[in-house]
Amino acid sequence: MWSSKVDFLKAQVQVVVILVIAYVGNNWPQSYHRNENHDPTMFWVMNLALVIAGLVTLKHDANASSRGVQLLSRPQTEEWKGWMQWAFIMYHYYRVYYVYNEIRVFVSAYVWMTGFGNFLYFEKKQDFSLERIISMWLRINYFPLLLSFCLGVPLELYYVVPLHTAGFFITMATCYVSSLLKQCKGMNYWASNGWAILLCLMVHIAFYETPAVNFLKVFSDEYHFRFQADKYTAWVGILSGYFWQQFKAYMQWVYASPQQDSSQKAAMWGQRIAGVFLIWLWYHGFGYISDKFKYNPMHPYIFWIPVAGWLMIRNSSKYLCELHATAMEFFGRITLETYVLQFHVFMCQDVQHIPVVIPGAVADGPLLLKTANMLLCGSVFVPLALWARKVTITTQTSVVDLIEELRGKKKASDNTYSKVPTKQEKASLADNGESSDPSKSIKTESV
């Protein structure tokens, strides 16, 4: 009956092993408080190391523009997620307090991808099925929930997980309303989505700008803060997806021609200057503020400024759109797993301590020894995250297969498509919940 049962059972055995390793890591006997690991210099050294790795692994794919210049392609999205995640983890590890505002923007960029990517998926596929819901819920929540339960830590430690889950359902509900307006009222793309997005905004305002938001305190003060910090982020992502075809049309006009005329060159440089200006505007207007309690209330309304600036710069030529760093792309594919496992394997005691694996790599120990200790922990942490991603995707696809078989969809699907997807293809399809490639089914998973 269940064709993927064996794969599912094997994945559950493997996830038990991963959880045991995470438990051992989280309770590592030798450690010191991470506040004693404050080291801005090493933070920048490690980020420089990623930049070097990115430059060494740059890949230019001329075929990427075979269907037109691709704005925010999947490889570029994974690259973006990868370097943000790297900086986020190093921020935690080396306690570099003064980049707090930048890290907040990175977190919001991930949540923005949730609204953006899922809007494009639902608008294209009109897939509001039970399979889609369960598939995405499992991809985002399966491993974090197991980790939370088995290690006895509150889920709010992985606050991005509920943020993305909520963003997914908000986007799905918005697109479903749009679909109903198309079917029942005969509205076109602009009208149906426009009204649905406006309704979504009104619901957000009614909840977040009134005492109703205090309902989140029923769960915890942490959720109350985290959800308010990104209260409009997924909605801005939805809005961005709404206008995405116009952005893509602009990209074709400016960059698709082999030889740019004067107006196209002016547009290209105007885009670059505008991108730099937006990042400068955010920093000099808000980002420089050292008091996070002063910055945080403004963040939900201005996070989009540096995000838009970055996208304008990163996609400011056809060549740049076709270029990506595979090292950062690799790291971007395991952001959910590196996000949750950093607290227990790369660091320990729920991210509050730094494990000492190499004798002498203590808080006041030699820098060389501490760095070797960090790299040793990383050599376990990254492969473990990759393994966790693999078993999560196997679980996700196996459960969806079961649901399809129970609902009688599997046979119909098999009769429609003669080619049976390989495991690698299934993994790619499952990961459509992780990135923001406008041409694929997508969502993001996390920082």
Side-chain angles (χ1 to χ4, degrees), residues 35 234 262 385:
N35 286 345
S262 58

Side-chain angles (χ1 to χ4, degrees), residues 94-109:
Y94 288 113
R95 306 300 286 153
V96 186
Y97 308 106
Y98 62 78
V99 296
Y100 172 86
N101 296 345
E102 286 78 4
I103 297 299
R104 282 249 47 83
V105 171
F106 293 173
V107 173
S108 294

